[in-house]
Each structure stands twice: as structure tokens, then as C-alpha cells.
Amino acid sequence: MKNEEMYQLLIQMKEGDQRAFHTMYDATFQDVYRTVSFLVDHKQDREDVMNEIYMQMWTSLPNYDTNRPFQFWLHGLVIRQVQRFRVKSWRRFRIFERIRAFSHEESYWDEHTALMDATNQMISQSIRKLTDKQRAVIIFRFYHDYTLEEIATLLDIPLGTVKSRYHAGLQALRKYLGNLPLERMEKINDY
């Protein structure tokens, strides 16, 4: 969707037009879901976070400054909702820690077409091995092409911390992906 079309939708949404909201949802859903998929492990949790993101988008829209890039603002909503989810999850985790220790939790991946390719799956699994903080920086850098300064603004952390997480994340990814056959490594480098 072009920026001009998106701007018109935002104006309509600010006036309360629900059809414009649905159009915006359709235009942004896949990008937002892909980001959330990397930051939240379980499908049900992802759906909850997605609902919260779009509810927050609808309620926060009057505060949105149309002079700022919409995608940047939307990704700020994404990271704040994911962080809220993690805080809630940590509280739940502590309550159910003993129960979870005895249950087998299956690693879960959705059937998104971007993750179907074996190489992409290896990359995705390697990204999942990163810490939450490293993963957020890597996802925003490589999937959304944000600069490290923009990521610092999005995550509301110092630039030096972003650089540290970025380099640590890259080192970890190199370690995890180091065992790939040569032809797959070439694809990853193209990626």
C-alpha cells in the first residue's frame, strides 16, 4: 500500500471509519504477524497479542501524529504489546512453574508460507534460540530494515545497548548456523 493511500486511511480511521480500519488491518496484518511470530512463541499467545495491538491501534489513533511514519508508530505498538505480554507471561509462569515442569510443551510453529522453506526454518529456529532482547533487535534490523538508532527509539533503550544486543545476536546466529551445508550458507548470505 502506498503512503498516500495509507495516509488517507489514517484520516478516515481518525474520523471513526471502521471500513478504513479493516482495510488498514488487511494491509498490515501479515507484516505485524510475522514480527509477532518471532517475538512470541505460542500461536494462541500471538493471537492475543495481535488482538491487543489492533485494539491499541484503534484506541491510540487520535494521538497518532500523521507527520510521523505510520510503520514506525505501528512497530512501536507491536513492541510495547509484546513487552506487556511478556510481563503478564512472567507472572503466569511463576504461578504455574511447577505444573509446566511436569508437562511436555511441544515446540510450535505456524504454517506460514515464509517459514516453510527448510533454510528459512533453520534461520527461524536459530533466531528463536536468541534471547528475547537479542531477537527483538535482530527482527527489527533484518525484517524491517530499521537502523540501530531507530531500534533504540522503538525499544526505548540506549544505542549502545542496541549495538551490544545486535552484535551478540549476530555472533549467536553465526554459531547456530555454522553447521549449514555450503549451498545453504550462500542462500542465507543472499537473504
Side-chain angles (χ1 to χ4, degrees), residues 7-131:
Y7 179 76
Q8 292 301 322
L9 284 175
L10 290 170
I11 298 297
Q12 292 171 349
M13 287 170 56
K14 277 188 163 188
E15 294 170 354
D17 186 345
Q18 291 185 358
R19 286 187 332 181
F21 177 79
H22 288 291
T23 304
M24 181 65 75
Y25 176 85
D26 290 341
T28 59
F29 172 80
Q30 289 183 338
D31 179 55
V32 170
Y33 188 79
R34 183 178 60 187
T35 302
V36 170
S37 294
F38 279 108
L39 300 174
V40 177
D41 290 334
H42 302 282
K43 184 177 180 181
Q44 181 61 42
D45 294 337
R46 287 181 212 146
E47 292 170 2
D48 291 343
V49 171
M50 290 292 293
N51 288 336
E52 292 295 323
I53 290 168
Y54 282 98
M55 285 178 56
Q56 186 68 39
M57 183 171 94
W58 182 256
T59 57
S60 299
L61 201 56
N63 301 326
Y64 170 65
D65 178 5
T66 53
N67 295 322
R68 297 183 61 205
F70 175 72
Q71 289 292 337
F72 192 77
W73 180 75
L74 180 59
H75 288 139
L77 289 178
V78 169
I79 200 66
R80 282 191 294 279
Q81 290 304 322
V82 168
Q83 288 171 341
R84 284 185 192 147
F85 166 76
R86 286 186 181 145
V87 169
K88 287 180 189 175
S89 294
W90 176 245
R91 290 180 186 146
R92 279 184 284 166
F93 174 77
R94 293 185 67 154
I95 293 170
F96 296 108
E97 189 173 351
R98 287 188 177 175
I99 296 170
R100 293 181 77 183
F102 294 109
S103 67
H104 174 70
E105 193 167 22
E106 183 178 334
S107 175
Y108 190 83
W109 283 91
D110 67 6
E111 299 299 324
H112 192 270
T113 55
L115 300 177
M116 293 305 292
D117 178 58
T119 301
N120 283 344
Q121 285 185 359
M122 291 185 77
I123 293 170
S124 297
Q125 289 171 353
S126 296
I127 289 172
R128 286 227 178 262
K129 292 178 183 175
L130 299 175
T131 66

